[in-house]
mmCIF file of all heavy atoms in Angstrom:
data_model
loop_
_atom_site.group_PDB
_atom_site.id
_atom_site.type_symbol
_atom_site.label_atom_id
_atom_site.label_comp_id
_atom_site.label_asym_id
_atom_site.label_seq_id
_atom_site.Cartn_x
_atom_site.Cartn_y
_atom_site.Cartn_z
ATOM 1 N N LEU A 8 -134.152 84.776 72.512
ATOM 2 C CA LEU A 8 -135.379 84.135 73.003
ATOM 3 C C LEU A 8 -135.199 82.664 73.358
ATOM 4 O O LEU A 8 -136.007 82.121 74.112
ATOM 5 C CB LEU A 8 -136.503 84.298 71.987
ATOM 6 C CG LEU A 8 -136.901 85.729 71.610
ATOM 7 C CD1 LEU A 8 -137.920 85.734 70.477
ATOM 8 C CD2 LEU A 8 -137.414 86.501 72.826
ATOM 9 N N ILE A 9 -134.177 82.022 72.805
ATOM 10 C CA ILE A 9 -133.953 80.595 73.081
ATOM 11 C C ILE A 9 -132.616 80.318 73.744
ATOM 12 O O ILE A 9 -132.305 79.180 74.032
ATOM 13 C CB ILE A 9 -134.076 79.760 71.761
ATOM 14 C CG1 ILE A 9 -132.980 80.149 70.767
ATOM 15 C CG2 ILE A 9 -135.453 79.876 71.162
ATOM 16 C CD1 ILE A 9 -132.843 79.164 69.598
ATOM 17 N N LEU A 10 -131.861 81.359 74.019
ATOM 18 C CA LEU A 10 -130.518 81.234 74.620
ATOM 19 C C LEU A 10 -130.618 80.617 76.032
ATOM 20 O O LEU A 10 -131.483 80.997 76.807
ATOM 21 C CB LEU A 10 -129.860 82.599 74.665
ATOM 22 C CG LEU A 10 -128.341 82.643 74.867
ATOM 23 C CD1 LEU A 10 -127.620 81.998 73.715
ATOM 24 C CD2 LEU A 10 -127.900 84.080 75.037
ATOM 25 N N LYS A 11 -129.719 79.660 76.280
ATOM 26 C CA LYS A 11 -129.684 78.970 77.562
ATOM 27 C C LYS A 11 -128.302 79.112 78.204
ATOM 28 O O LYS A 11 -127.324 79.448 77.532
ATOM 29 C CB LYS A 11 -129.974 77.466 77.393
ATOM 30 C CG LYS A 11 -131.228 77.127 76.668
ATOM 31 C CD LYS A 11 -131.374 75.651 76.460
ATOM 32 C CE LYS A 11 -130.275 74.932 75.756
ATOM 33 N NZ LYS A 11 -129.853 75.376 74.466
ATOM 34 N N LYS A 12 -128.224 78.759 79.463
ATOM 35 C CA LYS A 12 -126.964 78.775 80.182
ATOM 36 C C LYS A 12 -126.001 77.823 79.474
ATOM 37 O O LYS A 12 -126.370 76.725 79.077
ATOM 38 C CB LYS A 12 -127.186 78.341 81.610
ATOM 39 C CG LYS A 12 -126.018 78.636 82.507
ATOM 40 C CD LYS A 12 -126.448 78.647 83.967
ATOM 41 C CE LYS A 12 -125.312 78.884 84.896
ATOM 42 N NZ LYS A 12 -124.650 80.169 84.814
ATOM 43 N N ASN A 13 -124.782 78.269 79.310
ATOM 44 C CA ASN A 13 -123.659 77.536 78.684
ATOM 45 C C ASN A 13 -123.728 77.457 77.165
ATOM 46 O O ASN A 13 -122.905 76.740 76.555
ATOM 47 C CB ASN A 13 -123.470 76.147 79.278
ATOM 48 C CG ASN A 13 -123.064 76.233 80.733
ATOM 49 O OD1 ASN A 13 -122.233 77.044 81.110
ATOM 50 N ND2 ASN A 13 -123.705 75.428 81.568
ATOM 51 N N ASP A 14 -124.661 78.106 76.504
ATOM 52 C CA ASP A 14 -124.713 78.132 75.047
ATOM 53 C C ASP A 14 -123.552 78.944 74.491
ATOM 54 O O ASP A 14 -123.009 79.837 75.160
ATOM 55 C CB ASP A 14 -126.023 78.737 74.540
ATOM 56 C CG ASP A 14 -127.167 77.776 74.565
ATOM 57 O OD1 ASP A 14 -127.012 76.639 74.989
ATOM 58 O OD2 ASP A 14 -128.275 78.194 74.144
ATOM 59 N N LEU A 15 -123.173 78.593 73.277
ATOM 60 C CA LEU A 15 -122.131 79.294 72.534
ATOM 61 C C LEU A 15 -122.728 79.928 71.304
ATOM 62 O O LEU A 15 -123.435 79.271 70.554
ATOM 63 C CB LEU A 15 -121.008 78.305 72.131
ATOM 64 C CG LEU A 15 -119.921 78.827 71.190
ATOM 65 C CD1 LEU A 15 -119.098 79.930 71.856
ATOM 66 C CD2 LEU A 15 -119.002 77.665 70.764
ATOM 67 N N VAL A 16 -122.451 81.233 71.091
ATOM 68 C CA VAL A 16 -122.922 81.927 69.910
ATOM 69 C C VAL A 16 -121.675 82.318 69.099
ATOM 70 O O VAL A 16 -120.769 82.961 69.600
ATOM 71 C CB VAL A 16 -123.750 83.179 70.248
ATOM 72 C CG1 VAL A 16 -124.170 83.910 68.984
ATOM 73 C CG2 VAL A 16 -124.945 82.833 71.115
ATOM 74 N N LEU A 17 -121.639 81.836 67.834
ATOM 75 C CA LEU A 17 -120.544 82.171 66.939
ATOM 76 C C LEU A 17 -121.044 83.079 65.859
ATOM 77 O O LEU A 17 -122.048 82.783 65.202
ATOM 78 C CB LEU A 17 -119.968 80.882 66.323
ATOM 79 C CG LEU A 17 -119.392 79.876 67.284
ATOM 80 C CD1 LEU A 17 -118.997 78.612 66.544
ATOM 81 C CD2 LEU A 17 -118.210 80.459 68.042
ATOM 82 N N ILE A 18 -120.358 84.204 65.644
ATOM 83 C CA ILE A 18 -120.718 85.137 64.568
ATOM 84 C C ILE A 18 -119.819 84.818 63.415
ATOM 85 O O ILE A 18 -118.607 84.944 63.491
ATOM 86 C CB ILE A 18 -120.581 86.592 65.011
ATOM 87 C CG1 ILE A 18 -121.590 86.963 66.119
ATOM 88 C CG2 ILE A 18 -120.793 87.526 63.837
ATOM 89 C CD1 ILE A 18 -121.078 86.745 67.489
ATOM 90 N N ARG A 19 -120.412 84.390 62.310
ATOM 91 C CA ARG A 19 -119.706 83.997 61.092
ATOM 92 C C ARG A 19 -119.841 85.073 60.006
ATOM 93 O O ARG A 19 -119.145 85.046 59.016
ATOM 94 C CB ARG A 19 -120.236 82.646 60.616
ATOM 95 C CG ARG A 19 -119.391 81.940 59.622
ATOM 96 C CD ARG A 19 -118.299 81.163 60.281
ATOM 97 N NE ARG A 19 -117.659 80.268 59.304
ATOM 98 C CZ ARG A 19 -116.393 79.932 59.357
ATOM 99 N NH1 ARG A 19 -115.627 80.344 60.348
ATOM 100 N NH2 ARG A 19 -115.877 79.133 58.458
ATOM 101 N N SER A 20 -120.763 86.011 60.202
ATOM 102 C CA SER A 20 -121.018 87.068 59.244
ATOM 103 C C SER A 20 -119.923 88.107 59.277
ATOM 104 O O SER A 20 -119.260 88.308 60.314
ATOM 105 C CB SER A 20 -122.342 87.781 59.569
ATOM 106 O OG SER A 20 -123.411 86.869 59.509
ATOM 107 N N THR A 21 -119.724 88.793 58.170
ATOM 108 C CA THR A 21 -118.777 89.881 58.104
ATOM 109 C C THR A 21 -119.393 91.131 58.690
ATOM 110 O O THR A 21 -120.421 91.607 58.231
ATOM 111 C CB THR A 21 -118.353 90.161 56.659
ATOM 112 O OG1 THR A 21 -117.834 88.946 56.099
ATOM 113 C CG2 THR A 21 -117.336 91.281 56.532
ATOM 114 N N VAL A 22 -118.802 91.636 59.776
ATOM 115 C CA VAL A 22 -119.332 92.804 60.477
ATOM 116 C C VAL A 22 -118.217 93.794 60.775
ATOM 117 O O VAL A 22 -117.064 93.411 60.887
ATOM 118 C CB VAL A 22 -120.065 92.400 61.774
ATOM 119 C CG1 VAL A 22 -121.317 91.566 61.478
ATOM 120 C CG2 VAL A 22 -119.138 91.632 62.703
ATOM 121 N N PRO A 23 -118.584 95.083 60.931
ATOM 122 C CA PRO A 23 -117.581 96.050 61.302
ATOM 123 C C PRO A 23 -117.037 95.795 62.721
ATOM 124 O O PRO A 23 -117.685 95.209 63.556
ATOM 125 C CB PRO A 23 -118.336 97.400 61.282
ATOM 126 C CG PRO A 23 -119.629 97.122 60.591
ATOM 127 C CD PRO A 23 -119.889 95.657 60.723
ATOM 128 N N ILE A 24 -115.835 96.278 62.965
ATOM 129 C CA ILE A 24 -115.228 96.164 64.307
ATOM 130 C C ILE A 24 -116.160 96.760 65.331
ATOM 131 O O ILE A 24 -116.735 97.840 65.147
ATOM 132 C CB ILE A 24 -113.866 96.908 64.319
ATOM 133 C CG1 ILE A 24 -112.891 96.191 63.408
ATOM 134 C CG2 ILE A 24 -113.315 97.004 65.756
ATOM 135 C CD1 ILE A 24 -111.584 96.919 63.171
ATOM 136 N N GLY A 25 -116.330 96.049 66.440
ATOM 137 C CA GLY A 25 -117.172 96.513 67.535
ATOM 138 C C GLY A 25 -118.589 96.008 67.498
ATOM 139 O O GLY A 25 -119.332 96.149 68.477
ATOM 140 N N THR A 26 -119.020 95.403 66.384
ATOM 141 C CA THR A 26 -120.407 94.940 66.248
ATOM 142 C C THR A 26 -120.737 93.855 67.293
ATOM 143 O O THR A 26 -121.818 93.905 67.899
ATOM 144 C CB THR A 26 -120.682 94.424 64.833
ATOM 145 O OG1 THR A 26 -120.418 95.490 63.897
ATOM 146 C CG2 THR A 26 -122.095 93.937 64.674
ATOM 147 N N THR A 27 -119.856 92.917 67.481
ATOM 148 C CA THR A 27 -120.110 91.863 68.460
ATOM 149 C C THR A 27 -120.308 92.450 69.859
ATOM 150 O O THR A 27 -121.309 92.166 70.506
ATOM 151 C CB THR A 27 -118.946 90.836 68.456
ATOM 152 O OG1 THR A 27 -118.840 90.301 67.127
ATOM 153 C CG2 THR A 27 -119.217 89.714 69.437
ATOM 154 N N ARG A 28 -119.360 93.241 70.292
ATOM 155 C CA ARG A 28 -119.371 93.790 71.647
ATOM 156 C C ARG A 28 -120.495 94.835 71.841
ATOM 157 O O ARG A 28 -121.166 94.843 72.876
ATOM 158 C CB ARG A 28 -118.031 94.433 71.945
ATOM 159 C CG ARG A 28 -117.877 95.033 73.313
ATOM 160 C CD ARG A 28 -116.500 95.605 73.524
ATOM 161 N NE ARG A 28 -115.443 94.633 73.296
ATOM 162 C CZ ARG A 28 -114.962 93.765 74.197
ATOM 163 N NH1 ARG A 28 -115.456 93.779 75.390
ATOM 164 N NH2 ARG A 28 -114.018 92.968 73.906
ATOM 165 N N ASN A 29 -120.722 95.698 70.848
ATOM 166 C CA ASN A 29 -121.609 96.835 71.020
ATOM 167 C C ASN A 29 -123.049 96.629 70.578
ATOM 168 O O ASN A 29 -123.932 97.371 70.965
ATOM 169 C CB ASN A 29 -121.041 98.061 70.331
ATOM 170 C CG ASN A 29 -119.684 98.451 70.876
ATOM 171 O OD1 ASN A 29 -119.438 98.364 72.079
ATOM 172 N ND2 ASN A 29 -118.783 98.858 69.995
ATOM 173 N N ILE A 30 -123.257 95.627 69.714
ATOM 174 C CA ILE A 30 -124.611 95.421 69.162
ATOM 175 C C ILE A 30 -125.108 94.014 69.513
ATOM 176 O O ILE A 30 -126.167 93.862 70.117
ATOM 177 C CB ILE A 30 -124.649 95.664 67.648
ATOM 178 C CG1 ILE A 30 -124.339 97.162 67.372
ATOM 179 C CG2 ILE A 30 -126.020 95.262 67.070
ATOM 180 C CD1 ILE A 30 -124.210 97.515 65.918
ATOM 181 N N ILE A 31 -124.352 92.994 69.139
ATOM 182 C CA ILE A 31 -124.845 91.630 69.270
ATOM 183 C C ILE A 31 -124.966 91.188 70.733
ATOM 184 O O ILE A 31 -125.996 90.676 71.159
ATOM 185 C CB ILE A 31 -123.969 90.638 68.459
ATOM 186 C CG1 ILE A 31 -124.091 90.989 66.960
ATOM 187 C CG2 ILE A 31 -124.365 89.192 68.726
ATOM 188 C CD1 ILE A 31 -123.091 90.236 66.069
ATOM 189 N N ILE A 32 -123.935 91.400 71.519
ATOM 190 C CA ILE A 32 -123.978 90.957 72.902
ATOM 191 C C ILE A 32 -125.084 91.648 73.694
ATOM 192 O O ILE A 32 -125.836 90.960 74.406
ATOM 193 C CB ILE A 32 -122.574 91.108 73.563
ATOM 194 C CG1 ILE A 32 -121.648 90.049 73.026
ATOM 195 C CG2 ILE A 32 -122.680 90.987 75.083
ATOM 196 C CD1 ILE A 32 -120.181 90.157 73.470
ATOM 197 N N PRO A 33 -125.257 92.971 73.588
ATOM 198 C CA PRO A 33 -126.392 93.571 74.331
ATOM 199 C C PRO A 33 -127.741 92.998 73.916
ATOM 200 O O PRO A 33 -128.619 92.846 74.771
ATOM 201 C CB PRO A 33 -126.272 95.072 73.966
ATOM 202 C CG PRO A 33 -124.817 95.283 73.694
ATOM 203 C CD PRO A 33 -124.381 94.017 73.008
ATOM 204 N N ILE A 34 -127.911 92.669 72.659
ATOM 205 C CA ILE A 34 -129.148 92.034 72.200
ATOM 206 C C ILE A 34 -129.310 90.665 72.845
ATOM 207 O O ILE A 34 -130.346 90.309 73.359
ATOM 208 C CB ILE A 34 -129.242 91.970 70.694
ATOM 209 C CG1 ILE A 34 -129.376 93.370 70.064
ATOM 210 C CG2 ILE A 34 -130.401 91.062 70.229
ATOM 211 C CD1 ILE A 34 -129.251 93.416 68.569
ATOM 212 N N LEU A 35 -128.231 89.866 72.819
ATOM 213 C CA LEU A 35 -128.290 88.527 73.436
ATOM 214 C C LEU A 35 -128.545 88.574 74.925
ATOM 215 O O LEU A 35 -129.206 87.712 75.490
ATOM 216 C CB LEU A 35 -127.000 87.772 73.126
ATOM 217 C CG LEU A 35 -126.727 87.415 71.650
ATOM 218 C CD1 LEU A 35 -125.328 86.822 71.501
ATOM 219 C CD2 LEU A 35 -127.794 86.477 71.107
ATOM 220 N N GLU A 36 -128.034 89.618 75.568
ATOM 221 C CA GLU A 36 -128.221 89.725 77.025
ATOM 222 C C GLU A 36 -129.641 90.132 77.417
ATOM 223 O O GLU A 36 -129.984 90.102 78.600
ATOM 224 C CB GLU A 36 -127.206 90.705 77.608
ATOM 225 C CG GLU A 36 -125.801 90.071 77.673
ATOM 226 C CD GLU A 36 -124.791 90.950 78.337
ATOM 227 O OE1 GLU A 36 -124.879 92.207 78.324
ATOM 228 O OE2 GLU A 36 -123.827 90.356 78.911
ATOM 229 N N LYS A 37 -130.486 90.425 76.439
ATOM 230 C CA LYS A 37 -131.896 90.615 76.722
ATOM 231 C C LYS A 37 -132.534 89.322 77.240
ATOM 232 O O LYS A 37 -133.609 89.332 77.817
ATOM 233 C CB LYS A 37 -132.648 91.069 75.451
ATOM 234 C CG LYS A 37 -132.338 92.470 75.049
ATOM 235 C CD LYS A 37 -133.140 92.825 73.796
ATOM 236 C CE LYS A 37 -132.823 94.259 73.347
ATOM 237 N NZ LYS A 37 -133.622 94.630 72.145
ATOM 238 N N SER A 38 -131.819 88.228 77.056
ATOM 239 C CA SER A 38 -132.244 86.901 77.562
ATOM 240 C C SER A 38 -132.183 86.842 79.075
ATOM 241 O O SER A 38 -132.612 85.866 79.673
ATOM 242 C CB SER A 38 -131.361 85.815 76.986
ATOM 243 O OG SER A 38 -130.038 85.982 77.469
ATOM 244 N N LYS A 39 -131.595 87.851 79.701
ATOM 245 C CA LYS A 39 -131.336 87.940 81.144
ATOM 246 C C LYS A 39 -130.105 87.103 81.541
ATOM 247 O O LYS A 39 -129.788 86.986 82.713
ATOM 248 C CB LYS A 39 -132.534 87.504 81.995
ATOM 249 C CG LYS A 39 -133.802 88.274 81.703
ATOM 250 C CD LYS A 39 -133.673 89.737 82.056
ATOM 251 C CE LYS A 39 -134.998 90.441 81.837
ATOM 252 N NZ LYS A 39 -134.881 91.766 81.412
ATOM 253 N N LEU A 40 -129.432 86.532 80.547
ATOM 254 C CA LEU A 40 -128.170 85.806 80.779
ATOM 255 C C LEU A 40 -127.046 86.813 80.497
ATOM 256 O O LEU A 40 -127.182 87.746 79.717
ATOM 257 C CB LEU A 40 -128.056 84.613 79.835
ATOM 258 C CG LEU A 40 -129.139 83.548 80.017
ATOM 259 C CD1 LEU A 40 -128.987 82.471 78.922
ATOM 260 C CD2 LEU A 40 -129.088 82.899 81.397
ATOM 261 N N LYS A 41 -125.879 86.584 81.119
ATOM 262 C CA LYS A 41 -124.733 87.482 80.946
ATOM 263 C C LYS A 41 -123.639 86.741 80.185
ATOM 264 O O LYS A 41 -123.250 85.600 80.515
ATOM 265 C CB LYS A 41 -124.200 87.931 82.292
ATOM 266 C CG LYS A 41 -125.154 88.858 83.028
ATOM 267 C CD LYS A 41 -125.304 90.153 82.278
ATOM 268 C CE LYS A 41 -126.316 91.079 82.917
ATOM 269 N NZ LYS A 41 -126.720 92.111 82.001
ATOM 270 N N VAL A 42 -123.070 87.472 79.211
ATOM 271 C CA VAL A 42 -121.990 86.921 78.409
ATOM 272 C C VAL A 42 -120.806 86.610 79.351
ATOM 273 O O VAL A 42 -120.566 87.318 80.337
ATOM 274 C CB VAL A 42 -121.560 87.866 77.286
ATOM 275 C CG1 VAL A 42 -120.898 89.131 77.815
ATOM 276 C CG2 VAL A 42 -120.661 87.164 76.294
ATOM 277 N N ASN A 43 -120.136 85.527 79.081
ATOM 278 C CA ASN A 43 -118.959 85.033 79.796
ATOM 279 C C ASN A 43 -119.289 84.329 81.100
ATOM 280 O O ASN A 43 -118.511 83.524 81.570
ATOM 281 C CB ASN A 43 -117.902 86.147 80.016
ATOM 282 C CG ASN A 43 -116.567 85.574 80.419
ATOM 283 O OD1 ASN A 43 -116.105 84.590 79.779
ATOM 284 N ND2 ASN A 43 -115.960 86.106 81.431
ATOM 285 N N ASN A 44 -120.411 84.652 81.715
ATOM 286 C CA ASN A 44 -120.842 83.950 82.915
ATOM 287 C C ASN A 44 -121.846 82.865 82.580
ATOM 288 O O ASN A 44 -121.780 81.753 83.066
ATOM 289 C CB ASN A 44 -121.470 84.927 83.920
ATOM 290 C CG ASN A 44 -120.443 85.894 84.489
ATOM 291 O OD1 ASN A 44 -119.287 85.523 84.701
ATOM 292 N ND2 ASN A 44 -120.856 87.126 84.687
ATOM 293 N N ASP A 45 -122.816 83.221 81.734
ATOM 294 C CA ASP A 45 -123.914 82.312 81.428
ATOM 295 C C ASP A 45 -123.867 81.746 80.013
ATOM 296 O O ASP A 45 -124.333 80.644 79.768
ATOM 297 C CB ASP A 45 -125.265 83.036 81.621
ATOM 298 C CG ASP A 45 -125.422 83.565 83.032
ATOM 299 O OD1 ASP A 45 -125.147 82.826 83.984
ATOM 300 O OD2 ASP A 45 -125.893 84.744 83.194
ATOM 301 N N PHE A 46 -123.358 82.549 79.106
ATOM 302 C CA PHE A 46 -123.208 82.091 77.701
ATOM 303 C C PHE A 46 -121.936 82.676 77.130
ATOM 304 O O PHE A 46 -121.314 83.553 77.734
ATOM 305 C CB PHE A 46 -124.453 82.470 76.856
ATOM 306 C CG PHE A 46 -124.623 83.912 76.558
ATOM 307 C CD1 PHE A 46 -124.122 84.461 75.389
ATOM 308 C CD2 PHE A 46 -125.246 84.762 77.456
ATOM 309 C CE1 PHE A 46 -124.261 85.825 75.105
ATOM 310 C CE2 PHE A 46 -125.404 86.117 77.183
ATOM 311 C CZ PHE A 46 -124.889 86.646 76.025
ATOM 312 N N PHE A 47 -121.533 82.172 75.985
ATOM 313 C CA PHE A 47 -120.236 82.520 75.406
ATOM 314 C C PHE A 47 -120.391 82.995 73.968
ATOM 315 O O PHE A 47 -121.268 82.545 73.241
ATOM 316 C CB PHE A 47 -119.310 81.315 75.482
ATOM 317 C CG PHE A 47 -119.245 80.741 76.883
ATOM 318 C CD1 PHE A 47 -120.072 79.687 77.226
ATOM 319 C CD2 PHE A 47 -118.425 81.288 77.811
ATOM 320 C CE1 PHE A 47 -120.053 79.179 78.514
ATOM 321 C CE2 PHE A 47 -118.382 80.810 79.109
ATOM 322 C CZ PHE A 47 -119.222 79.746 79.462
ATOM 323 N N VAL A 48 -119.564 83.965 73.575
ATOM 324 C CA VAL A 48 -119.647 84.567 72.240
ATOM 325 C C VAL A 48 -118.277 84.656 71.629
ATOM 326 O O VAL A 48 -117.307 85.084 72.326
ATOM 327 C CB VAL A 48 -120.281 85.989 72.289
ATOM 328 C CG1 VAL A 48 -120.234 86.653 70.932
ATOM 329 C CG2 VAL A 48 -121.718 85.898 72.803
ATOM 330 N N ALA A 49 -118.173 84.319 70.359
ATOM 331 C CA ALA A 49 -116.909 84.486 69.633
ATOM 332 C C ALA A 49 -117.211 84.890 68.171
ATOM 333 O O ALA A 49 -118.223 84.512 67.639
ATOM 334 C CB ALA A 49 -116.102 83.236 69.662
ATOM 335 N N PHE A 50 -116.305 85.638 67.618
ATOM 336 C CA PHE A 50 -116.372 86.024 66.220
ATOM 337 C C PHE A 50 -115.448 85.096 65.444
ATOM 338 O O PHE A 50 -114.255 85.006 65.760
ATOM 339 C CB PHE A 50 -115.950 87.497 66.061
ATOM 340 C CG PHE A 50 -115.924 87.963 64.637
ATOM 341 C CD1 PHE A 50 -117.071 88.010 63.868
ATOM 342 C CD2 PHE A 50 -114.731 88.386 64.061
ATOM 343 C CE1 PHE A 50 -117.044 88.453 62.555
ATOM 344 C CE2 PHE A 50 -114.702 88.842 62.746
ATOM 345 C CZ PHE A 50 -115.862 88.849 62.010
ATOM 346 N N THR A 51 -115.989 84.388 64.507
ATOM 347 C CA THR A 51 -115.182 83.433 63.686
ATOM 348 C C THR A 51 -115.502 83.682 62.225
ATOM 349 O O THR A 51 -116.362 83.033 61.642
ATOM 350 C CB THR A 51 -115.518 81.964 64.079
ATOM 351 O OG1 THR A 51 -116.898 81.708 63.843
ATOM 352 C CG2 THR A 51 -115.219 81.686 65.509
ATOM 353 N N PRO A 52 -114.804 84.673 61.652
ATOM 354 C CA PRO A 52 -115.186 85.115 60.285
ATOM 355 C C PRO A 52 -115.060 84.016 59.232
ATOM 356 O O PRO A 52 -114.145 83.189 59.312
ATOM 357 C CB PRO A 52 -114.192 86.242 60.018
ATOM 358 C CG PRO A 52 -113.036 85.994 60.905
ATOM 359 C CD PRO A 52 -113.601 85.334 62.141
ATOM 360 N N GLU A 53 -116.008 84.073 58.338
ATOM 361 C CA GLU A 53 -115.990 83.145 57.170
ATOM 362 C C GLU A 53 -114.862 83.597 56.233
ATOM 363 O O GLU A 53 -114.691 84.777 55.990
ATOM 364 C CB GLU A 53 -117.352 83.251 56.484
ATOM 365 C CG GLU A 53 -117.437 82.504 55.190
ATOM 366 C CD GLU A 53 -116.977 83.260 53.995
ATOM 367 O OE1 GLU A 53 -117.159 84.484 53.917
ATOM 368 O OE2 GLU A 53 -116.391 82.620 53.094
ATOM 369 N N ARG A 54 -114.112 82.642 55.771
ATOM 370 C CA ARG A 54 -113.037 82.950 54.834
ATOM 371 C C ARG A 54 -112.785 81.801 53.884
ATOM 372 O O ARG A 54 -111.644 81.402 53.651
ATOM 373 C CB ARG A 54 -111.754 83.379 55.560
ATOM 374 C CG ARG A 54 -111.479 82.632 56.788
ATOM 375 C CD ARG A 54 -110.355 83.216 57.636
ATOM 376 N NE ARG A 54 -109.521 82.100 58.039
ATOM 377 C CZ ARG A 54 -108.259 81.951 57.704
ATOM 378 N NH1 ARG A 54 -107.643 82.870 57.020
ATOM 379 N NH2 ARG A 54 -107.589 80.913 58.101
#
């Protein structure tokens, strides 16, 4: 709801393989922005 062009979303939570690509990105793209073109996403696990 607040995502803007050129924003970066970092996932720090522990999630199963594929969660970023199959769950989080489609939800973020409800913003009408497209990952890699309009905003950026990376998984950076807490350790």
Side-chain angles (χ1 to χ4, degrees):
L8 300 174
I9 64 168
L10 197 63
K11 307 176 303 306
K12 194 160 178 66
N13 295 317
D14 279 2
L15 171 64
V16 179
L17 299 174
I18 294 92
R19 196 84 169 149
S20 300
T21 302
V22 294
I24 293 171
T26 301
T27 301
R28 182 178 304 273
N29 300 322
I30 296 174
I31 296 172
I32 289 174
I34 292 172
L35 293 173
E36 286 184 332
K37 289 180 181 181
S38 66
K39 305 294 185 214
L40 300 173
K41 291 294 176 197
V42 69
N43 195 46
N44 293 323
D45 301 316
F46 70 95
F47 308 95
V48 174
F50 177 63
T51 60
E53 174 273 326
R54 38 191 226 118

